[in-house]
Amino acid sequence: MGMVHGIKDEATFGAYQDVAVPIIEAAGGKMVWFSQDIQAADGDWAPMAMVLFEFESSEQAHKWYNSPEYQAVIGQRLSSTDSNTVFINVE
């Protein structure tokens, strides 16, 4: 799951999205949902956008994240946003 808390450079983040999504899909990731309408019930947690990609396994998700292809572009996201990526295992 990806969470964006703020965007520092829209052009760079847009360029990242243009290349990252095909890399995720080529690694077997499927977008489940995307939302910019996030309302926290309590606490200080308030991302401005969230996206959920599904992989067949946790191993496959980690393989994508650590792949040379994704590592070549992750810097664009990190430099252009305040964001996080988390892995969620559901059984």
Side-chain angles (χ1 to χ4, degrees):
M1 176 184 300
M3 294 164 280
V4 176
H5 305 281
I7 298 174
K8 303 172 203 172
D9 180 339
E10 289 187 26
T12 300
F13 185 52
Y16 160 80
Q17 291 173 306
D18 289 345
V19 295
V21 171
I23 291 170
I24 294 167
E25 291 172 343
K30 296 180 181 103
M31 186 184 295
V32 177
W33 53 259
F34 167 79
S35 180
Q36 291 179 302
D37 185 12
I38 301 155
Q39 302 169 13
D42 53 47
D44 294 332
W45 184 73
M48 63 184 289
M50 295 177 71
V51 62
L52 178 68
F53 282 92
E54 177 181 51
F55 288 86
E56 288 186 20
S57 67
S58 176
E59 180 179 283
Q60 186 181 13
H62 286 271
K63 185 176 178 180
W64 150 72
Y65 186 85
N66 293 306
S67 71
E69 295 83 5
Y70 186 65
Q71 290 300 306
V73 300
I74 190 174
Q76 291 177 298
R77 176 178 63 86
L78 297 175
S79 69
S80 65
T81 65
D82 175 16
S83 60
N84 303 97
T85 299
V86 298
F87 298 100
I88 303 168
N89 293 317
V90 179
E91 297 184 33

